Amino acid sequence: MSQQPDDGHKPFGGFESAPEQPDRADGPQSEAPKPPREVRRASVVQTVIAVILVFFGVFYLTQTDNLTSELMRAMESVDAKMVADISIAQLASVVRTAAVVLLIIGLGHGAAAHGLRSRKTWARPVGFVFSGLLVALTVLSMFSGAMSYPVLLMGLLAVWAIVLTSRPAVKTYLSHN
């Protein structure tokens, strides 16, 4: 017996035509409202922060040896006495620790962005925590004298993410599951 319908046989296992399929717009998926502008903006800001931090974290991990030797040379040129007690291994561990911190904070921002897009209630607290950590690191770098434009930019992006995530529209949107 052939699997191909011929003129006398009905296709699709005896049906005259394919069974009616309801449109996806009529299903339960259509009840989810479009996210407010603040949610979309907060998600984009969180994603941008995540991409930048993860990129630099991976870069620092892969280039630890080069960065350590360049950092040691720069510190020796400034003050040779300062680096007399510091070994390359100690400096490398500092670079690796900084890279891991960047990765953790970047992944936290990525999780917050995903939660915002997926309408998860945990997205706000996660976004607040990791944005707050980034702001705290920015403030610490200000007081330690290690401030740079990229650090300031990341801190300002984190503040912007906090402001966007704390808006009432975001809270309302995420609380209606």
Side-chain angles (χ1 to χ4, degrees):
M1 175 128 197
S2 170
Q3 295 291 330
Q4 299 292 328
D6 48 67
D7 294 332
H9 292 82
K10 296 179 181 173
F12 304 108
F15 291 107
E16 196 62 37
S17 62
E20 291 295 319
Q21 298 283 333
D23 290 340
R24 286 212 173 261
D26 297 337
Q29 298 288 343
S30 65
E31 295 174 9
K34 185 177 177 183
R37 187 175 355 150
E38 290 88 357
V39 172
R40 293 190 309 264
R41 285 181 181 165
S43 175
V44 168
V45 171
Q46 296 277 11
T47 302
V48 167
I49 293 171
V51 167
I52 293 170
L53 291 179
V54 168
F55 172 78
F56 280 109
V58 170
F59 176 76
Y60 289 166
L61 281 177
T62 58
Q63 300 295 318
T64 300
D65 295 333
N66 294 340
L67 291 172
T68 304
S69 61
E70 287 179 29
L71 187 57
M72 185 62 92
R73 277 195 300 266
M75 288 175 19
E76 284 174 348
S77 68
V78 172
D79 188 6
K81 290 180 185 180
M82 176 179 72
V83 295
D85 296 333
I86 299 174
S87 69
I88 294 287
Q90 290 171 328
L91 201 54
S93 68
V94 170
V95 171
R96 284 189 194 98
T97 303
V100 169
V101 167
L102 288 177
L103 284 172
I104 290 170
I105 294 175
L107 291 175
H109 280 282
H114 174 71
L116 286 169
R117 285 190 298 272
S118 301
R119 200 174 186 188
K120 303 293 183 188
T121 55
W122 51 261
R124 288 183 75 226
V126 169
F128 287 145
V129 166
F130 286 100
S131 294
L133 284 172
L134 195 54
V135 169
L137 288 174
T138 303
V139 170
L140 283 174
S141 68
M142 242 189 265
F143 289 131
S144 69
M147 181 52 86
S148 65
Y149 286 120
V151 171
L152 182 62
L153 175 67
M154 295 307 294
L156 291 175
L157 282 173
V159 168
W160 191 21
I162 290 171
V163 168
L164 288 172
T165 307
S166 64
R167 297 250 171 108
V170 175
K171 183 177 182 180
T172 303
Y173 177 77
L174 294 178
S175 65
H176 291 296
N177 268 338

